[in-house]
């Protein structure tokens, strides 16, 4: 009954595992990539290299600098004495922030005036610049409070007590607001997508290129048996990679797995239908491995960038947001982050699961329909 | 001496591609380097052209060490197997490009181009894009490009591989004219009939020079008392000595064939079948019938439509119009039924290179759903038939041409089909393996199997019960080899099949 499928699977597994490069690509690279991305893909802004142009050179200005360094966000790397130096440092990217303390800073403060503090920011990385401005605003407020209490202590002999609001925030799902718990699940989705889509498309096109497909399609093998034989190995490899990357995430980066493992596997199966479907579709339109590779790359980039892995979909223009509804990665990402970080289940994720099912069935269906047991 | 090689050796890793080659070629000689795929012809030619370094020994070309030929580069014309023609440039533009590479002065270039184009018969096609030329014309253009700087030494690597007999004959006419002008020519070829036209021939096998002499002297080496031994007999005999270690395969008879849908119907029948690819008509209204148990030869130059026809018969390409049946099943309506009853071997011996001999067989045994007891029996049969007993765990990519070919045949007939289709089964295989292969085919045919085979080797056509000649998608002639020869006999003298073939094609071109 399953003779032919068995023969296909045995053949495919021998071919995949006999090639040492393939073993590395399939199992070692995903782990390495997770480790590297886990450390590197980090949106935290800390230890910002900062230059200070202190024309006042008073205890107040030094206290200001101390407030900044003790916060842990800023690191005073350069003490400079001219605007030209500031320009040069920002041009070279040596520092991201230049603080300009004007002459008379302390005197004006003591006179009770409002003194401007000039800050020059490297705005080429708009995201980081925004974060830095937030920090600076907070530090300035802290500094103001401290000079005010100093003032009242010195002049009134007592501390000023007025009511104030204190922020008591708690970040749910990722209490330290650490990057890895957010990115490791995204790395799983991206690696799984690339490996299964690219390799399944190449696997069939390779047979076309070598001419072996010609020999296979003159046998009574059924279309379904051939396609299953070509895709099932990648389903299995996909599961293994999901497990490997999850383990690295949990053990190395303390990513919590709060939800159900079974739901994770179920969602992965749904997602694999889409990625293998795209792979098969590419293989029906490509004649050489090079063509398949090119087509795959043109699909990989938009799919990854418009999945919400780094850039929130809500911020995209409305037409692009509609376009992302065709992106299986988008739904899988919500599911996998939900399972890992929030521990939510089908009750919450049913819409994403349904969307994945719909996309998977249609992509795979189109691919199977397009696949012909003929040449030309 | 134009070329002087002493103990020239080239290794690629553990493989010795050229082994201790000592040879000298005097000025004005037409030297043929003969051998099968992987014998070391291309490696030798590349070393002669100075594009590949040797491992040990010495090679002197026009008095220079082949490691540095800068001084004499302008005297050498080299045409590699895939001569670098630019498909988007016209014939004239290609020639001009090579003329500029060799710094040929403008006046000289124009004169020489004109001469070469007339000489090669390419003059009418000056403005055609190289990519749109036929295989034979591409080879001639390649030759023109290699000759534009009037070299003293011309190195040609399999210049006529896959070129039809008419173009091959033209090509050799040009080579003969060049020799008369005193150009030294070294030509590597797998065609032994071409080698007979050379002044001297070197037989290369597994990197070693087995013999080197004039064709006449070489044929004297044949010990068996054949009346007129050909170079092929020489080759087979010399190589046979080398390969004594290889056990001769015993060929078991295939089991009783299951009858098709109708026992009395012909194995193959085609009625006005055509196949168009866009504007291009690959096959144009072919009708033919092949009775059961025949060896049917399907001849024609490259691009004539042979493979397209075979693919339609195997149900992997659907015809644009016309009807056909194979083993009693309609080729458009029941292609999957056909596939259960046929064996097909494509010209590339499509084996899985990274799988071993046994794994390849096991794969096809599974695909054809052989019963478990039958499976081991047929596996043994294929391994013995292909002579692979000692190599059953070798990977397919480690096998040489002849073994691969027999293994591919074995995989294609594992399920004992009643009809087998072979698409150029012997291209690139050495003469000894070719003979062994045809012995196998004849044994299968005696067992009642119908064999439908395409080839461009005329000597192989003689082995067929019946022949069909196809040219530019049309059927030009059908008949037994004798019938075809008799039709074109002059004064009772029967022409060779090659002459018949060339005659028919020329006639077709005129109409």
């Amino acid at each position: 009954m399953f003779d032919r499928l068995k023969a296909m699977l045995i053949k495919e597994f021998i071919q995949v595992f006999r090639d040492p490069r393939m073993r590395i690509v399939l199992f070692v690279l995903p782990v390495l990539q997770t480790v590297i991305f886990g450390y590197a893909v980090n949106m935290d802004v800390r230890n910002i290299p900062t230059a200070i142009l202190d024309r006042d050179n008073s205890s107040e200005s030094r206290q200001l600098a101390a407030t900044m360094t003790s916060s842990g966000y800023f690191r005073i790397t350069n003490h400079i004495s001219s605007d030209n130096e500031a320009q040069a440092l920002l041009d070279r990217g040596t520092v991201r922030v230049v603080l300009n303390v004007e002459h008379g800073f302390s005197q004006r403060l003591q006179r009770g005036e409002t003194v401007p503090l000039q800050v020059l920011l490297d705005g080429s990385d708009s995201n980081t610049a925004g974060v830095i401005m937030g920090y600076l605003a907070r530090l300035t407020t802290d500094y103001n409070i401290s000079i005010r209490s100093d003032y009242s202590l010195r002049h009134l002999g007592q501390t000023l007590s007025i009511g104030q609001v204190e922020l008591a925030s708690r970040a749910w799902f990722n209490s330290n607001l650490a990057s890895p718990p957010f990115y490791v699940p995204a790395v799983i989705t991206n690696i799984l997508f690339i490996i299964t889509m690219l390799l399944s498309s190449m696997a069939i096109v390779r047979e076309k290129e070598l001419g072996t497909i010609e020999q296979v399609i003159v046998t009574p093998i059924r279309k379904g048996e051939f396609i299953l034989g070509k895709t099932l190995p990648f389903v299995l490899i996909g599961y293994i990679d999901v497990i490997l990357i999850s383990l690295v995430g949990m053990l190395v980066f303390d990513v919590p797995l709060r939800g159900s493992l079974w739901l994770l596997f179920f969602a992965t199966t749904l997602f694999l239908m889409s990625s293998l479907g795209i792979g098969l579709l590419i293989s029906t339109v490509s004649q050489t491995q090079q063509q398949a590779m090119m087509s795959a790359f043109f699909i990989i980039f938009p799919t990854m960038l418009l999945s919400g892995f780094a850039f929130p979909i809500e911020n995209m223009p409305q037409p692009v947001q509609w376009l992302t509804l065709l992106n299986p990665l988008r739904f899988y990402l919500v599911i996998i982050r939900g399972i890992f970080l929030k521990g939510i289940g089908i009750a919450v994720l049913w819409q994403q699961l349904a969307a994945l099912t719909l996309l998977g069935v249609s992509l795979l269906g189109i691919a199977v329909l397009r696949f012909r047991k003929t040449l030309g | 001496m134009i070329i002087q090689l002493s103990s020239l050796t080239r290794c690629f890793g553990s493989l010795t591609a050229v082994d201790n080659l000592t040879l000298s070629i005097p000025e004005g000689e037409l030297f043929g380097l003969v051998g099968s795929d992987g014998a070391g012809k291309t490696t030798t030619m590349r070393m002669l052209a100075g594009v590949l370094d040797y491992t040990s020994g010495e090679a002197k070309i026009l008095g220079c060490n082949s490691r540095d030929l800068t001084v004499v580069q302008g005297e050498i014309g080299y045409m590699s197997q895939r001569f670098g023609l630019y498909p988007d440039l016209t014939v004239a533009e290609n020639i001009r490009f090579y003329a500029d590479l060799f710094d040929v002065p403008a006046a000289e270039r124009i004169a020489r181009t004109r001469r070469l184009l007339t000489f090669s018969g390419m003059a009418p096609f000056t403005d055609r894009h190289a990519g749109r030329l036929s295989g034979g014309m591409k080879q001639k253009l390649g030759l023109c490009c290699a000759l534009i700087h009037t070299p003293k030494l011309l190195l040609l690597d399999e210049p006529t591989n896959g070129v039809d007999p008419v173009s091959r004959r033209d090509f050799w006419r040009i080579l003969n004219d060049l020799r008369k002008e005193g150009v030294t020519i070294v030509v590597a070829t797998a065609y032994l009939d071409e080698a007979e036209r050379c002044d001297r021939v070197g037989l290369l096998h597994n990197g070693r020079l087995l013999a080197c002499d004039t064709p006449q002297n070489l044929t004297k080496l044949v010990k068996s008392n054949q009346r007129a031994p050909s170079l092929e007999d020489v080759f087979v005999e010399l190589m046979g000595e080398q390969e004594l270690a290889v056990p001769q395969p015993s060929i078991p008879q295939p089991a009783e064939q299951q009858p098709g849908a109708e026992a009395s119907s012909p194995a193959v029948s085609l009625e006005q079948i055509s196949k168009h690819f866009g504007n291009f008509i690959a096959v144009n209204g072919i009708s033919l019938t092949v009775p059961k148990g025949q060896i049917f030869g399907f001849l024609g130059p490259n691009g004539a439509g042979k493979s397209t026809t075979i693919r339609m018969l195997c149900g992997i390409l659907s015809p644009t119009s016309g009807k056909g049946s194979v083993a009693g099943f309609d080729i458009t309506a029941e292609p999957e039924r056909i596939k259960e009853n046929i064996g097909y071997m494509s010209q590339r011996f499509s084996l899985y290179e990274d799988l071993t001999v046994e794994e390849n067989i096991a794969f096809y045994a599974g695909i054809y759903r052989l019963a478990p007891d039958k499976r081991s029996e047929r596996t043994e049969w294929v391994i013995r038939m292909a002579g692979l007993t000692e190599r059953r765990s070798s990977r397919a990519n480690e096998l040489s041409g002849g073994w691969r070919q027999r293994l591919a045949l074995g995989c294609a007939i594992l399920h004992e089909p009643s009809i087998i289709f072979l698409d150029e089964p012997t291209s690139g295989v050495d003469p000894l393996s070719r003979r062994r292969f045809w012995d196998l085919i004849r044994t299968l045919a005696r067992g009642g199997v119908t064999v439908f085979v395409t080839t461009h080797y005329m000597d192989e056509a003689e082995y067929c019960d019946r022949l069909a000649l196809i040219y530019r998608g049309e059927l030009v002639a059908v008949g037994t080899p004798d019938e075809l020869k008799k039709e074109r006999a002059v004064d009772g003298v029967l022409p060779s099949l090659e002459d018949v073939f060339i005659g028919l094609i020329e006639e077709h071109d005129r109409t």
Side-chain angles (χ1 to χ4, degrees):
Chain A
M1 183 56 198
F2 293 112
D3 282 352
R4 293 192 195 123
L5 183 56
K6 201 175 120 199
M8 276 297 291
L9 289 177
I10 293 174
K11 186 210 83 171
E12 290 297 322
F13 276 116
I14 296 175
Q15 286 189 305
V16 168
F17 292 114
R18 187 156 286 168
D19 185 355
R21 270 180 313 176
M22 202 66 164
R23 286 190 299 239
I24 292 176
V25 167
L26 291 179
F27 304 117
V28 181
L29 287 188
V31 171
L32 269 179
Q33 282 177 348
T34 313
V35 173
I36 294 170
F37 291 159
Y39 282 116
V41 179
N42 199 325
M43 295 291 235
D44 299 351
V45 183
R46 276 173 193 286
N47 291 322
I48 305 152
T50 308
I52 185 156
L53 175 53
D54 191 352
R55 290 194 171 108
D56 193 52
N57 212 359
S58 57
S59 67
E60 278 80 2
S61 70
R62 281 192 293 275
Q63 198 197 337
L64 179 73
T67 314
M68 290 187 67
T69 38
S70 62
S71 70
Y73 296 123
F74 297 92
R75 192 158 43 93
I76 308 280
T77 49
N78 300 62
H79 289 272
I80 53 178
S81 53
S82 73
D83 288 332
N84 288 345
E85 272 179 274
Q87 167 101 39
L89 287 171
L90 281 173
D91 280 352
R92 272 187 261 120
T94 321
V95 301
R96 281 190 182 271
V97 183
V98 177
L99 285 184
N100 190 357
V101 186
E102 289 295 338
H103 185 69
F105 179 79
S106 55
Q107 283 171 0
R108 290 174 70 187
L109 265 185
Q110 277 156 11
R111 282 204 298 269
E113 288 175 31
T114 302
V115 194
L117 169 66
Q118 192 192 35
V119 176
L120 300 171
L121 274 174
D122 179 355
S124 56
D125 178 352
S126 55
N127 201 37
T128 309
V131 174
I132 294 173
M133 292 212 298
Y135 290 158
L136 285 168
R138 221 159 77 200
L139 288 172
T140 315
T141 315
D142 288 352
Y143 182 71
N144 283 340
I145 293 172
S146 83
I147 49 176
R148 238 172 253 169
S149 57
D150 277 1
Y151 184 86
S152 57
L153 195 63
R154 215 175 298 155
H155 295 266
L156 308 175
Q158 64 178 79
T159 47
L160 203 66
S161 69
I162 35 172
Q164 58 180 14
V165 179
E166 193 187 53
L167 196 66
S169 63
R170 245 192 97 208
W172 272 25
F173 314 125
N174 183 4
S175 48
N176 298 333
L177 290 178
S179 282
F182 184 62
Y183 283 103
V184 169
V187 171
I188 296 184
T189 62
N190 287 345
I191 289 180
L192 190 65
F193 180 62
I194 294 175
I195 284 190
T196 52
M197 193 264 272
L198 190 65
L199 294 184
S200 65
S201 69
M202 304 268 282
I204 293 180
V205 179
R206 188 166 74 143
E207 293 221 20
K208 275 192 197 175
E209 220 173 70
L210 295 173
T212 45
I213 201 165
E214 206 178 328
Q215 199 65 49
V216 174
I217 59 175
V218 292
T219 69
I221 193 169
R222 291 208 195 86
K223 200 162 96 169
E225 292 167 329
F226 183 78
I227 293 178
L228 270 180
K230 275 283 165 199
T231 48
L232 280 183
F234 292 109
V235 172
L236 190 82
I237 289 166
Y239 285 137
I240 297 177
D241 277 336
V242 169
I243 296 173
L244 278 178
I245 302 174
S246 307
L247 280 178
V248 172
M250 288 156 72
L251 299 178
V252 182
F253 298 107
D254 295 326
V255 177
L257 176 60
R258 297 199 171 102
S260 149
L261 201 60
W262 299 116
L263 186 61
L264 179 68
F265 282 143
F266 175 64
T268 303
T269 313
L270 295 181
F271 174 68
L272 285 176
M273 294 195 341
S274 301
S275 69
L276 293 172
I278 297 174
L280 276 175
L281 266 179
I282 292 177
S283 73
T284 59
V285 296
S286 316
Q287 293 305 318
T288 61
Q289 295 190 66
Q290 203 182 358
Q291 285 174 0
M293 188 92 112
M294 291 296 282
S295 319
F297 271 114
F298 280 117
I299 292 176
I300 285 172
F301 279 111
T303 314
M304 277 174 38
L305 293 179
L306 300 182
S307 68
F309 96 99
F311 316 110
I313 290 176
E314 307 83 70
N315 296 354
M316 294 173 189
Q318 195 58 49
V320 180
Q321 287 197 34
W322 288 326
L323 201 65
T324 61
L325 292 176
L326 294 172
N327 185 351
L329 212 55
R330 164 199 176 150
F331 300 111
Y332 185 53
L333 198 61
V334 172
I335 296 171
I336 208 163
R337 275 182 180 153
I339 294 175
F340 268 98
L341 299 180
K342 302 184 182 171
I344 47 178
I346 295 182
V348 184
L349 294 170
W350 67 272
Q351 278 178 312
Q352 279 78 13
L353 290 167
L356 267 191
T357 315
L358 192 68
L359 278 173
V361 169
S362 6
L363 281 168
L364 205 55
I366 298 170
V368 171
L369 282 179
R370 276 200 53 116
F371 188 84
R372 295 254 175 277
K373 253 191 88 183
T374 47
L375 297 165
Chain B
M1 287 295 153
I2 296 284
I3 292 177
Q4 192 122 36
L5 310 178
S6 47
S7 311
L8 191 67
T9 302
R10 168 74 209 199
C11 303
F12 294 102
S14 61
L15 176 90
T16 309
V18 173
D19 193 356
N20 229 346
L21 182 67
T22 301
L23 178 71
S24 41
I25 299 172
E27 186 164 2
E29 188 170 77
L30 174 55
F31 188 88
L33 198 58
V34 183
S36 45
D37 277 5
K41 298 192 300 284
T42 298
T43 310
T44 309
M45 295 303 276
R46 285 184 178 159
M47 288 193 288
L48 292 183
V51 295
L52 185 74
D53 206 353
Y54 47 83
T55 312
S56 65
E58 201 186 19
K60 275 207 145 73
I61 316 294
L62 297 161
C64 282
N65 188 314
S66 85
R67 281 199 170 129
D68 184 19
L69 292 177
T70 353
V71 191
V72 289
Q73 205 82 69
E75 316 267 344
I76 302 173
Y78 169 57
M79 184 176 159
S80 62
Q81 240 174 76
R82 289 185 185 176
F83 190 83
L85 293 174
Y86 293 92
D88 305 325
L89 297 188
T90 64
V91 169
E93 284 162 351
N94 266 292
I95 296 180
R96 169 151 194 184
F97 173 72
Y98 280 97
D100 290 344
L101 277 189
F102 280 99
D103 284 332
V104 180
E108 220 171 307
R109 184 190 76 226
I110 292 161
R112 275 192 215 158
T113 306
R114 194 179 298 130
R115 199 181 128 239
L116 282 169
L117 286 175
T118 348
F119 175 63
S120 60
M122 294 287 291
F125 311 106
T126 333
D127 294 326
R128 193 177 288 192
H129 285 217
R132 299 221 190 97
L133 297 175
S134 74
M137 296 206 307
K138 272 186 197 149
Q139 298 293 337
K140 282 189 244 177
L141 175 57
L143 189 62
C144 289
C145 292
L147 287 172
I148 190 68
H149 57 293
T150 32
K152 265 194 199 158
L153 170 65
L154 187 58
L155 303 168
L156 306 168
D157 191 7
E158 302 211 28
T160 56
N161 201 0
V163 172
D164 63 271
V166 183
S167 305
R168 270 172 63 198
R169 205 182 46 179
D170 286 351
F171 194 87
W172 276 86
R173 205 175 278 154
I174 301 175
L175 289 193
N176 263 319
D177 290 344
L178 285 171
R179 178 173 51 166
K180 281 180 201 138
E181 290 176 21
V183 181
T184 312
I185 304 169
V186 181
V187 51
T189 179
Y191 294 94
L192 291 158
D193 54 329
E194 290 190 344
E196 312 221 4
R197 298 177 202 174
C198 297
D199 297 325
R200 275 197 316 149
V201 176
L203 293 185
L204 207 57
H205 184 59
N206 287 341
R208 257 173 298 177
L209 198 62
L210 293 188
C212 177
D213 214 328
T214 62
Q216 292 77 15
N217 286 344
L218 280 176
T219 48
K220 286 179 196 149
L221 289 171
V222 177
K223 293 178 202 91
S224 51
N225 38 8
Q226 268 175 293
R227 265 170 296 160
S230 66
L231 263 184
E232 180 165 329
D233 296 313
V234 179
F235 206 146
V236 169
E237 183 145 334
L238 287 172
M239 276 180 45
E241 286 170 17
Q242 296 278 311
E243 296 209 343
L244 272 184
V246 181
Q248 193 68 23
S250 58
I251 300 151
Q253 285 290 326
E256 192 75 14
Q257 298 303 322
Q258 304 116 330
E262 288 166 64
S264 57
S265 64
V268 175
S269 89
L270 286 181
E271 244 178 86
Q272 287 298 318
I273 201 136
S274 296
K275 178 71 190 177
H276 300 199
F277 293 107
N279 287 329
F280 177 68
I281 303 172
V283 172
N284 191 4
I286 285 185
S287 305
L288 53 85
T289 319
V290 181
K292 285 192 170 129
Q294 258 196 359
I295 302 181
F296 189 83
F298 207 47
L299 308 181
N302 278 30
K306 300 192 299 278
S307 297
T308 307
T309 311
I310 274 207
R311 286 171 176 167
M312 288 193 283
L313 291 174
C314 294
I316 53 174
L317 204 59
S318 47
T320 310
S321 64
K323 278 198 304 187
S325 75
V326 171
F329 299 108
D330 189 87
I331 60 168
T332 36
E334 308 163 289
E336 294 306 309
R337 293 302 304 274
I338 291 177
K339 290 173 187 176
E340 289 166 19
N341 289 284
I342 59 161
Y344 167 73
M345 177 179 158
S346 71
Q347 37 186 317
R348 295 198 277 174
F349 315 156
S350 317
L351 297 164
Y352 289 99
E353 303 274 322
D354 39 3
L355 262 54
T356 67
V357 169
E358 278 184 321
E359 286 163 351
N360 265 295
I361 299 174
F363 171 65
Y364 283 105
I367 295 290
Y368 282 115
R369 287 188 175 161
L370 295 192
D373 49 329
K374 196 87 182 143
R375 199 172 283 204
S376 50
E377 180 201 318
R378 292 299 291 169
T379 305
E380 286 314 309
W381 182 85
V382 169
I383 287 181
R384 255 189 309 139
M385 176 272 283
L388 285 165
T389 321
E390 274 137 52
R391 298 198 158 235
R392 51 200 314 156
S393 315
S394 304
R395 287 195 203 164
N397 56 8
E398 294 163 359
L399 302 177
S400 73
W403 272 321
R404 295 163 56 88
Q405 170 207 39
R406 290 192 294 268
L407 177 59
L409 178 69
C411 290
I413 60 175
L414 205 58
H415 57 301
E416 301 169 80
S418 57
I419 306 172
I420 51 182
F421 291 94
L422 308 171
D423 195 2
E424 308 227 352
T426 52
S427 61
V429 171
D430 62 81
L432 194 66
S433 297
R434 270 172 59 201
R435 284 204 183 178
R436 225 186 249 178
F437 189 80
W438 276 95
D439 284 344
L440 266 168
I441 297 298
R442 277 185 290 193
T443 316
L444 287 171
R446 274 201 299 276
V449 177
T450 312
V451 180
F452 193 102
V453 57
T454 71
T455 179
H456 59 252
Y457 288 104
M458 288 303 139
D459 52 337
E460 292 185 351
E462 300 268 7
Y463 298 136
C464 298
D465 296 320
R466 236 150 49 93
L467 295 174
L469 175 63
I470 173 172
Y471 181 61
R472 295 196 176 162
E474 284 174 33
L475 200 63
V476 178
V478 190
T480 65
D482 276 340
E483 280 169 9
L484 292 175
K485 287 182 201 167
K486 275 178 192 148
E487 269 171 36
R488 303 191 71 86
V490 187
D491 303 329
V493 179
L494 292 185
S496 73
L497 265 182
E498 175 149 358
D499 292 334
V500 173
F501 188 11
I502 291 173
L504 283 166
I505 282 181
E506 284 174 343
E507 222 162 75
H508 190 271
D509 274 342
R510 276 194 292 275
T511 53

